[in-house]
Amino acid sequence: MKTLNLAHRGFSGQYPENTMIAFEKAYETGADGIELDAQLTKDGEVVLFHDETLERLTNGKGHLTDHTLNELKAYSINCQIQAGLPEQKIPTLREYFDWVQDKNFVTNIELKTATSENIGLEEKVLDLIEDYHLEDQIIISSFHRGNMVRVKRLNPNIQTGLLVAGCNERIIQTTKELGMDYIHPHALCLDEELVEVANSYNLKINTWTVNEKADLEKAEKAGINAIITDFPNRLRKIQEKQSASV
Ligand code: G3P
Ligand code: CA
């Protein structure tokens, strides 16, 4: 089975992360899908943004969760990564779904919360997925076990993956016991033994974040479900070369 090429925060190696242009460019470059980060605004809207605070990525200041959607939409995303790009705003999940709904494109939604306290993000994300009938194209992930348990309880049919920075058999077993479909280990943990153990628990692997050519080639050969990369163009090239040689 082909390993999926998932663009991390969109095509973030060349475009501003978690923006509509980064998602569109990932699609155009031939990625199979994207990974994005979801958070709740002060007034309960789901927006796509990685950091807790606005300074690194926008011309705004302070915590994202202290701002309403209208306030956030007044800010511009920093686009220094590439000259000449059109102005980008923080997208909502709804705007993203409007764009993706007619595409055969996988979306890995990471629930980006500070803790596993229930702030209602899971429910809002799941409601939107159901409104757009995108259940079959979505994988929800989080580093917080509590978030993932809530997702499975609210909708057992949604595919889920637990994000882990380190990995061993005990963590794989716990991930399976939590009812997850996938484990999302950091790429540094990825080796043959991990793949074997995950397979023995019938748990598929989506690894992050693999960017260098040699690492992408190695991960591509590991027989896993997906590689999450800032450079979907590099992985695409490797996969094309490999399928041409078969
Ligand atoms: O989902 C994989 C990866 O995105 C997790 O880390 O910090 O890039 O959101 P981060
Ligand atoms: Ca993420």
Side-chain angles (χ1 to χ4, degrees), residues 8-9 35-37 50 110 112 163:
H8 182 233
R9 311 181 197 171
E35 186 266 3
L36 52 76
D37 301 293
H50 180 273
E110 183 190 345
K112 211 53 158 173
L163 277 157

Side-chain angles (χ1 to χ4, degrees), residues 167-174 194 197 200-201:
C167 200
N168 56 36
E169 180 159 1
R170 191 182 50 77
I171 292 170
I172 288 173
Q173 187 179 355
T174 306
L194 177 75
V197 177
S200 74
Y201 282 86

Side-chain angles (χ1 to χ4, degrees), residues 173-186:
Q173 187 179 355
T174 306
T175 304
K176 188 70 190 173
E177 285 166 1
L178 290 172
M180 299 296 106
D181 307 283
Y182 303 91
I183 187 159
H184 291 212
H186 188 279

Side-chain angles (χ1 to χ4, degrees), residues 44-183:
E45 296 291 331
V46 183
V47 289
L48 309 180
F49 199 77
H50 180 273
D51 292 3
E52 270 184 50
T53 54
L54 298 169
E55 282 81 351
R56 180 179 70 94
L57 296 166
T58 75
N59 56 356
K61 283 191 172 62
H63 284 79
L64 177 129
T65 51
D66 290 339
H67 293 75
T68 63
L69 179 60
N70 270 347
E71 288 165 349
L72 293 171
K73 283 290 188 185
Y75 302 133
S76 299
I77 298 268
N78 298 331
C79 288
Q80 296 98 324
I81 193 165
Q82 198 181 131
L85 295 177
E87 185 188 28
Q88 297 296 308
K89 300 282 186 181
I90 298 174
T92 62
L93 185 58
R94 192 180 284 283
E95 285 163 351
Y96 173 77
F97 281 171
D98 280 337
W99 170 78
V100 86
Q101 64 182 336
D102 61 353
K103 296 175 180 61
N104 182 16
F105 205 52
V106 174
T107 305
N108 172 199
I109 301 173
E110 183 190 345
L111 303 174
K112 211 53 158 173
T113 56
T115 69
S116 61
E117 184 197 346
N118 187 2
I119 55 167
L121 178 61
E122 296 81 6
E123 205 162 346
K124 290 230 161 108
V125 167
L126 287 168
D127 283 350
L128 278 168
I129 294 169
E130 287 158 26
D131 284 354
Y132 281 82
H133 308 293
L134 284 167
E135 291 89 339
D136 294 344
Q137 288 174 234
I138 304 277
I139 301 168
I140 299 184
S141 62
S142 172
F143 284 102
H144 300 293
R145 294 176 186 186
N147 293 1
M148 297 317 303
V149 169
R150 265 194 302 278
V151 169
K152 271 292 178 197
R153 203 173 53 224
L154 289 163
N155 187 339
N157 298 320
I158 287 284
Q159 297 190 82
T160 53
L162 184 69
L163 277 157
V164 292
C167 200
N168 56 36
E169 180 159 1
R170 191 182 50 77
I171 292 170
I172 288 173
Q173 187 179 355
T174 306
T175 304
K176 188 70 190 173
E177 285 166 1
L178 290 172
M180 299 296 106
D181 307 283
Y182 303 91
I183 187 159

